[in-house]
Amino acid sequence: MRRRHSARGARFGEARDRGTAMLMTMSVMMLVTTLAGVGATMAVRDMRGAGEAQQAGRALDAAEAGVAQAVAYIRANGTRRVVCNLTTCPTNPWSASNPVSAEVRGGGRWTATIKPVLINNGDDGDRYVVRSTGVAGGPAERTIEVEVTVAPVDLPKGIFGRTVNLGGTVDLHQISIFSTGCVYKRDKVATHFESGLDAAYGVPVGVHSSQIITESQGSGQYCANTNKPIHGGLDLLGASLKPCNSKYPYDQDRLGGALTGLSALLDPLGLCGVAAGQTPYQPRDLDLDGKLDVNGSFLRDDEALFRTFNIKRPALTDSELEQLKTMAQAQGTYYTSTTWTVPDGSVNPHTVLFFDLNANQTVDLKPLDGSLWSRGRITDANSPMCLDASLLIVVQGGNARLNGNTQLAASLYLSGAAPGGQLFKANGTANHIGMLYADTIDMTGTFNASLDACYVANPPPSLFDVNPGTYRELDR
């Protein structure tokens, strides 16, 4: 009996062991199943997180594409319509009420605005904030802001020539002449200072030369100081014997002098006394050498002229000229001969017309008469007649002719030196609104030159120095 009991106990022990093993196996299987479920859940979450991160990245890329397009808009179109957004033009593109939006490759989209924050900031440039929001499917959305500084490249805001020969009849309205050489036949120029101040500098219209202004006929950069100069010679102390010329009270050259305290005999109309109170005529020692470089109608040298009126020579660097050439090539307005086609202003209202010529080639600009940029004077920049448009004409190496019976609002820059870089005026009457810059300006016949409020409000955006600055992600 005892043996049979032992055998039965052994069988029970074996069964108990098998049950325990089965329970352990089931527990392990349940643990594995649970871990597998957790792992699968984590994998799904990781995949979803990776997808959301990719969407967020694409949204940020889209937002940055919006900033790039806003900067490209400023470079191509300027800032006039953007500034107008502040007050009377809320429906202009890029305003808060009329943002610009576009799709990007991959299914994203950006929406952007341009907001002026500091305008008329002088040499430091105006500041704008570009705000762009990018989306890329689902809830992914990113918003960034970039501060953009816009400063126009300084070109002379008037008529500038190393030599200016005025053989015809020239009428100036709200524009002045600047030269580093002699200005001949001053009596052929009517400055019409009574019709308004110089639109660029806010001072009476005049002729400003670091050499001599004379009523005599001549040519070349230098001339004698005894042949009909508009200001008198110097006395033994170096002071001008005739600092005020009542016919040209706002002119300056190296034979001029102080305009303060003049007697009625020297300033019978009192106009020179008016000039004395204007900034360009006030006494200044610019290089701090103990000698006055500017004093009334006196300009000592080229540097005094340049610094007084913020003029550079050359006005455009080689790299800036290359930039303009590249832009003209992109617009289809780059030419290497004097055969050319008038640009279509409806396609590119802000056009760069670039001529790359030899010194013996002269391009006639008469075909521009009747184009988008052909107009009369507009003294109100808010007039509906004042279009958001500009034309910059660059003649590199060669010459240009402003032929008769034309009307044109444009900036004309000739970069060559003699025998190139000459600006001629031919028969008839030419009416030009805007800057003229050349090595030699030779005017015959009748020529009207001016600035107006519409031209000043539309500087060529191709001359803007546009620099993106501070970058902020608003949702981080």
Side-chain angles (χ1 to χ4, degrees), residues 27-55:
S27 298
V28 170
M29 291 177 65
M30 291 177 62
L31 177 61
V32 170
T33 301
T34 301
L35 290 176
V38 171
T41 301
M42 293 179 65
V44 169
R45 288 178 178 174
D46 287 345
M47 291 177 64
R48 185 173 62 194
E52 291 175 352
Q54 289 178 347
Q55 287 181 340

Side-chain angles (χ1 to χ4, degrees), residues 104-447:
V104 296
R105 189 168 53 189
R109 171 174 285 275
W110 57 264
T111 302
T113 61
I114 305 173
K115 178 183 178 181
V117 294
L118 185 59
I119 307 301
N120 298 322
N121 195 34
D123 293 340
D124 292 332
D126 297 342
R127 295 211 300 269
Y128 302 80
V129 169
V130 176
R131 183 182 181 125
S132 180
T133 298
V135 296
E141 180 178 298
R142 300 293 294 276
T143 299
I144 60 176
E145 282 188 351
V146 177
E147 187 173 280
V148 179
T149 302
V150 181
V153 174
D154 272 330
L155 289 177
K157 301 175 182 68
I159 301 172
F160 181 90
R162 181 182 60 85
T163 302
V164 180
N165 302 320
L166 303 166
T169 300
V170 180
D171 280 358
L172 303 181
H173 292 269
Q174 294 189 277
I175 190 171
S176 297
I177 293 177
F178 307 92
S179 180
T180 55
C182 288
V183 178
Y184 299 95
K185 297 301 293 179
R186 176 62 177 88
D187 53 321
K188 294 291 185 179
V189 181
T191 48
H192 293 288
F193 49 80
E194 75 284 351
S195 66
L197 298 177
D198 185 304
Y201 295 99
V203 298
V205 175
V207 178
H208 310 270
S209 171
S210 55
Q211 286 296 318
I212 297 172
I213 304 171
T214 175
E215 292 183 342
S216 69
Q217 184 68 50
S219 61
Q221 185 174 7
Y222 306 105
C223 55
N225 59 10
T226 57
N227 191 8
K228 298 183 180 180
I230 66 165
H231 295 126
L234 303 180
D235 63 19
L236 295 178
L237 299 177
S240 176
L241 296 173
K242 187 182 178 183
C244 173
N245 189 316
S246 295
K247 290 193 295 182
Y248 321 117
Y250 307 115
D251 287 10
Q252 293 175 297
D253 67 6
R254 68 182 182 90
L255 294 183
L259 297 178
T260 55
L262 296 179
S263 66
L265 180 63
L266 292 176
D267 187 12
L269 302 179
L271 297 176
C272 293
V274 173
Q278 305 284 332
T279 299
Y281 303 89
Q282 293 175 355
R284 277 165 295 161
D285 177 7
L286 298 172
D287 54 10
L288 304 178
D289 66 350
K291 300 177 182 178
L292 290 178
D293 300 295
V294 181
N295 188 12
S297 62
F298 171 70
L299 287 173
R300 180 174 297 280
D301 51 24
D302 294 355
E303 186 66 19
L305 174 70
F306 294 161
R307 293 182 63 177
T308 298
F309 295 99
N310 197 25
I311 296 173
K312 297 185 301 180
R313 183 164 175 86
L316 294 175
T317 65
D318 290 342
S319 63
E320 288 167 342
L321 285 171
E322 284 300 315
Q323 270 187 320
L324 294 174
K325 181 188 294 186
T326 300
M327 183 166 292
Q329 289 170 334
Q331 293 180 344
T333 52
Y334 172 76
Y335 299 94
T336 57
S337 73
T338 56
T339 302
W340 56 286
T341 302
V342 175
D344 185 349
S346 65
V347 176
N348 290 309
H350 296 278
T351 291
V352 178
L353 183 57
F354 198 110
F355 297 95
D356 203 343
L357 306 176
N358 297 320
N360 60 352
Q361 293 178 293
T362 299
V363 60
D364 190 344
L365 301 177
K366 185 177 176 61
L368 287 167
D369 192 41
S371 68
L372 176 71
W373 306 279
S374 178
R375 64 170 177 83
R377 282 174 49 78
I378 301 174
T379 56
D380 181 4
N382 295 318
S383 166
M385 300 296 292
C386 180
L387 303 179
D388 183 19
S390 67
L391 176 62
L392 172 61
I393 306 169
V394 179
V395 181
Q396 187 171 34
N399 311 296
R401 189 183 306 280
L402 291 171
N403 226 319
N405 304 317
T406 60
Q407 287 188 323
L408 182 63
S411 300
L412 176 56
Y413 181 85
L414 284 76
S415 67
Q422 299 186 69
L423 177 60
F424 303 105
K425 161 66 183 62
N427 60 313
T429 300
N431 297 280
H432 185 86
I433 301 169
M435 176 208 79
L436 299 172
Y437 183 102
D439 182 80
T440 301
I441 297 177
D442 193 348
M443 298 298 168
T444 58
T446 304
F447 180 63

